[in-house]
Amino acid sequence: MTDPINTIALYLALFGSLLILTRRQWTLNLIALTIQFLCLFPILCSFLPLQLAIIQPFTGLMVTLILYLTLINVGGIKRINLKLLPTSGEVFRALAGILLLSLLRAFIPQLQPAVFPTVPNTYLFLSLSLLVLGILQLGTTREPFYLAIGILTFLTGFQLLYNQLDFSLMLEALLVAVNLLLAIVGSFFIVKDAEGEES
Amino acid sequence: MSNTIMLWIVLPIALGVVTSFLRRWQKLYHSLSILIPLLLAVLAAIFSKNLMPNFAGQQIILNDSFVLFDRTIQIAANQLGMVSFLYLLCFGWNLLIPIFKQSQWFGSLSLIITALWVTVQFLSPFLYAAVVIELIALLSVPLLSPRGSPAKPGILRYLSAQTIALPFILLSGWMVSGIETSPSAEALVLRGALLLMLGVVLWLGIFPLHSWLPMLSEESHPWTSSFLLTIMQSSLTFFLLKVLNQYGWLRNLPELFLSLKWIGSLCILSAGVIAAFQNNVKRLPAYFFLAETGYMLLAIAFRGIGGLEILRMTLLPRVLSYWALGFSVATLQQAIDKNTLDFDSMRGLFWNFPFSSILLISTILNIIGSPLLSLFPAKYILWNLLPVDILPLSIPVAVGVLAMLILLLRLFSTIIHPKQETPLEENNSQKKEGLFINLAVSFIVLTMIIYGIFPDLLVYPFKELFSSFQNLLP
């Protein structure tokens, strides 16, 4: 993948998912999620026709919108405070995420020909990075909202990988349904938590 | 509706959505939630003989396939036994929804979830079912964690486990595609089998990845969790059989069935030992579920020497036991009016709620495999097969069963002995069991005993259940 747009999109998507993993500010997380999904578009366009490449980013944006509207309703959208110093937990997650990404970067050249010979190195790196960052998110949070976006990141990585291995319309349709349902479940959790706090 | 897919998948999902809007009219909602799965189960049983039956001189013809996104989904007549079984299970749980205070969505969501489990069995390529299972997990959220209570860690772990299982299953499917034509790819076969098994382990919560099971069981309503776990275990049993039936390379892997035997024994051992130290009755169904998963795996592993027959013998009695267990725990929870059912709060409970307590004890006895009860005949055969096959396998199973017996004795002692400092009258609450509970408990216990004496009674209606798994039959 020599296209500079794809390279920029790849690193932006990784930055977005790292931000989701690290920071615990809902507004910032939603922006990072949007970046992550938008950056998938040029990458997907490089191996899928336009009408198919648009499905995953479009679904992702819908999911983000559903979460955003729910957060607005419960008063969860606040001004982003960039000056807020990172907590020790945030530093730990950032370091763990960077470590995992570095390990992946180091092992991808060996892993790619042995397991996924048909997937280009860089795409494999992005897919697996999203997968491991998603898993790390699932393992380090007990907050339902972050669990939902952790699952979203995980599934995005997997969907990207599987699209290159064996694209199927049925699987794509099923995964779209999973993503949308996940957004509804995430919203359900947010509303439940808000109700709990009010009572 | 002249199509099996429309009738047993699309229609129930649509009806589930429609009934969810009728929640305000409780009686209508409950009646529909009970009648629809019953009707679907009966229809599936009728059509399982023939897809072109004659009704009053008129021939009804049902197509058995449906094309969606260039993929064919097919439910043949000989597979309708499974469909009937799953809808019967849904009917069994929906039957008692008016009694328990649980999520108001149960009636409609249980129907949709059952339809999705039916989809899991017949989707093509069948490993795409992993995504449908993820959908089921997400749809279960409102049932397991209804509004008014915060989301607890069990449900989050459950969602994580089901999500992580998804890539394992799908990647195994991709990895071994076309392997039938190149059987020499031994490394690929092993890798594919390992991924598949990892996925199944995560789905079923097999030891040591079982931590979500007791947490989920403790956090959610017993009636809801028992339904979701029962339908999951039954459906995944069918799914696993389908995988083995379809994949010759997996079936012929010599290490696979030996691994299944050891995993099964380990499940029984871990479930028994951990359960023996529990102090919360709401966590117990999860450990019984884990132990029964072990028995299920053992039965599959012994497929060459009648394992499938044993599996068929246990299917309905196991469902009946889960149903009775869910019923007794839910009844006791409602009676005590507490969210937790720890042993302390259950002291002397027998004297106030004798029928529910008897049901709880007899159900646990049944699940352990006590003689005279419905699960005994199948378990007796399995216990006898173990030492004949590999002697060391019987040790973990024996320890697991003994540990379960210790748990039973602890529980029995707890519910029999009232708190020492409180006189019996004061210890009792004002609540008493109603006539319905007494009759229901007597009926369930009698049924378990009758089926223990005549095990064929429960096997007969589903004698053709596994007929579609031609490659696994002897």
Side-chain angles (χ1 to χ4, degrees):
Chain A
M1 190 178 64
T2 48
D3 188 351
I5 296 179
N6 280 2
T7 312
I8 294 168
L10 183 145
Y11 285 104
L12 264 178
L14 278 183
F15 175 73
S17 50
L18 207 55
L19 203 62
I20 292 170
L21 171 75
T22 310
R23 295 300 272 185
R24 291 285 185 255
Q25 292 183 50
W26 288 355
T27 317
L28 192 66
N29 295 139
L30 284 182
I31 292 171
L33 201 61
T34 312
I35 292 171
Q36 183 186 295
F37 284 122
L38 281 176
C39 291
L40 286 181
F41 182 63
I43 294 167
L44 285 164
C45 272
S46 61
F47 62 92
L48 284 178
L50 182 73
Q51 64 270 34
L52 295 178
I54 204 163
I55 298 173
Q56 202 183 345
F58 185 71
T59 315
L61 291 179
M62 294 271 287
V63 167
T64 317
L65 188 67
I66 293 171
L67 292 174
Y68 172 70
L69 291 175
T70 315
L71 282 176
I72 282 188
N73 278 334
V74 299
I77 295 292
K78 287 175 188 150
R79 204 183 182 84
I80 301 170
N81 186 359
L82 290 173
K83 289 178 185 167
L84 203 68
L85 282 175
T87 62
S88 55
E90 288 177 336
V91 173
F92 167 75
R93 284 193 298 274
L95 288 176
I98 291 167
L99 176 73
L100 281 176
L101 293 185
S102 321
L103 282 174
L104 266 179
R105 196 73 183 141
F107 287 109
I108 287 278
Q110 284 85 42
L111 188 74
Q112 189 259 349
V115 187
F116 303 105
T118 54
V119 185
N121 256 343
T122 37
Y123 292 156
L124 187 63
F125 174 57
L126 177 62
S127 313
L128 294 184
S129 301
L130 292 178
L131 272 168
V132 293
L133 291 178
I135 290 189
L136 194 60
Q137 176 88 302
L138 296 183
T140 53
T141 185
R142 288 181 73 176
E143 228 182 294
F145 172 74
Y146 290 106
L147 181 101
I149 55 175
I151 293 179
L152 275 173
T153 308
F154 179 81
L155 287 178
T156 306
F158 174 68
Q159 210 171 341
L160 186 64
L161 177 67
Y162 208 80
N163 278 343
Q164 293 166 89
L165 296 171
D166 180 19
F167 183 84
S168 146
L169 266 183
M170 186 187 252
L171 188 67
E172 197 68 9
L174 285 169
L175 284 169
V176 166
V178 166
N179 279 322
L180 292 175
L181 199 56
L182 190 59
I184 295 169
V185 167
S187 302
F188 177 73
F189 278 135
I190 295 168
V191 172
K192 250 160 64 85
D193 278 3
E195 281 176 349
E197 278 167 21
E198 277 170 23
S199 65
Chain B
M1 286 300 153
S2 58
N3 190 302
T4 49
I5 314 299
M6 284 290 171
L7 194 55
W8 283 289
I9 294 177
V10 180
L11 180 69
I13 292 177
L15 287 174
V17 173
V18 171
T19 50
S20 68
F21 292 108
L22 303 174
R23 293 188 323 276
R24 200 178 292 172
W25 298 280
Q26 290 275 309
K27 279 188 180 162
L28 177 68
Y29 176 62
H30 290 153
S31 312
L32 286 175
S33 307
I34 294 165
L35 283 175
I36 294 168
L38 177 66
L39 194 68
L40 289 168
V42 171
L43 278 177
I46 292 170
F47 281 97
S48 66
K49 305 272 182 291
N50 178 11
L51 284 181
M52 293 181 283
N54 263 313
F55 279 117
Q58 253 196 328
Q59 194 171 41
I60 298 168
I61 302 172
L62 275 185
N63 292 325
D64 64 356
S65 59
F66 183 77
V67 179
L68 184 72
F69 294 118
D70 295 335
R71 308 279 184 171
T72 308
I73 307 174
Q74 190 178 32
I75 307 181
N78 65 347
Q79 294 167 320
L80 282 174
M82 269 187 271
V83 178
S84 178
F85 180 84
L86 293 176
Y87 279 109
L88 199 65
L89 205 150
C90 177
F91 161 73
W93 261 265
N94 281 4
L95 196 62
L96 296 186
I97 38 172
I99 299 178
F100 300 119
K101 291 174 206 154
Q102 54 179 335
S103 167
Q104 51 174 339
W105 295 88
F106 190 90
S108 44
L109 278 181
S110 63
L111 197 58
I112 298 174
I113 286 171
T114 309
L116 287 176
W117 276 118
V118 171
T119 315
V120 165
Q121 311 305 325
F122 304 107
L123 203 63
S124 173
F126 64 94
L127 290 180
Y128 284 5
V131 191
V132 182
I133 294 176
E134 174 74 9
L135 278 175
I136 294 170
L138 290 170
L139 272 176
S140 314
V141 169
L143 299 182
L144 292 167
S145 178
R147 284 177 79 166
S149 60
K152 291 178 184 154
I155 190 158
L156 304 184
R157 280 199 194 187
Y158 165 65
L159 279 181
S160 305
Q162 304 299 312
T163 307
I164 295 169
L166 189 150
F168 286 121
I169 300 290
L170 284 177
L171 284 178
S172 75
W174 162 78
M175 205 166 270
V176 297
S177 54
I179 208 125
E180 303 283 4
T181 50
S182 58
S184 59
E186 203 178 318
L188 218 54
V189 166
L190 269 177
R191 212 182 286 166
L194 202 66
L195 282 177
L196 194 70
M197 284 302 127
L198 257 172
V200 173
V201 164
L202 280 161
W203 271 343
L204 280 168
I206 288 173
F207 181 82
L209 301 174
H210 69 287
S211 67
W212 58 268
L213 265 175
M215 290 164 88
L216 197 70
S217 185
E218 186 183 359
E219 292 162 9
S220 50
H221 194 282
W223 197 241
T224 310
S225 58
S226 61
F227 167 71
L228 291 172
L229 292 179
T230 309
I231 198 164
M232 177 198 229
Q233 193 177 57
S234 307
S235 305
L236 285 178
T237 306
F238 298 144
F239 184 76
L240 200 56
L241 288 175
K242 188 175 181 175
V243 172
L244 289 170
N245 185 59
Q246 205 109 336
Y247 284 158
W249 56 266
L250 186 68
R251 205 169 51 238
N252 297 323
L253 210 63
E255 298 87 359
L256 179 82
F257 291 102
L258 181 66
S259 315
L260 283 184
K261 283 173 193 168
W262 278 108
I263 296 171
S265 309
L266 203 64
C267 279
I268 298 168
L269 171 75
S270 55
V273 171
I274 304 171
F277 295 99
Q278 293 302 312
N279 282 318
N280 190 338
V281 173
K282 280 185 81 179
R283 289 172 74 91
L284 297 183
Y287 293 109
F288 295 131
F289 174 87
L290 181 60
E292 288 306 305
T293 303
Y295 281 110
M296 181 264 279
L297 292 176
L298 278 179
I300 293 176
F302 284 116
R303 69 168 183 107
I305 43 175
L308 284 198
E309 189 57 30
I310 300 170
L311 193 61
R312 204 153 52 88
M313 277 174 80
T314 56
L315 270 178
L316 212 51
R318 184 177 290 144
V319 168
L320 188 70
S321 307
Y322 286 145
W323 190 89
L325 191 66
F327 179 71
S328 55
V329 177
T331 312
L332 288 173
Q333 178 178 313
Q334 205 146 297
I336 293 177
D337 211 9
K338 271 187 183 173
N339 222 357
T340 56
L341 272 180
D342 51 53
F343 276 33
D344 259 354
S345 65
M346 293 188 73
R347 284 198 187 282
L349 204 71
F350 177 81
W351 306 106
N352 240 21
F353 306 102
F355 280 86
S356 305
S357 307
I358 288 173
L359 181 63
L360 181 66
I361 295 294
S362 47
T363 309
I364 295 177
L365 270 172
N366 186 22
I367 293 176
I368 292 173
S370 160
L372 266 186
L373 295 173
S374 59
L375 275 169
F376 172 71
K379 289 198 171 170
Y380 179 71
I381 302 172
L382 265 181
W383 290 334
N384 280 313
L385 280 177
L386 284 170
V388 175
D389 194 54
I390 311 167
L391 187 64
L393 267 181
S394 45
I395 298 168
V397 175
V399 175
V401 173
L402 277 175
M404 287 276 187
L405 277 173
I406 292 171
L407 162 82
L408 180 81
L409 292 175
R410 277 185 60 220
L411 184 65
F412 188 66
S413 158
T414 307
I415 60 173
I416 282 287
H417 295 115
K419 279 180 185 165
Q420 280 177 348
E421 65 272 20
T422 350
L424 198 61
E425 294 77 27
E426 280 177 37
N427 192 39
N428 295 347
S429 69
Q430 300 304 310
K431 288 185 182 173
K432 291 280 176 198
E433 287 167 327
L435 182 67
F436 171 77
I437 301 276
N438 301 352
L439 285 175
V441 169
S442 312
F443 176 74
I444 298 164
V445 175
L446 264 176
T447 310
M448 286 196 287
I449 294 172
I450 289 172
Y451 286 127
I453 301 168
F454 308 106
D456 279 351
L457 282 177
L458 274 184
V459 180
Y460 183 74
F462 295 100
K463 66 179 192 307
E464 299 296 327
L465 199 64
F466 296 150
S467 61
S468 57
F469 306 124
Q470 287 295 331
N471 298 325
L472 299 178
L473 296 171

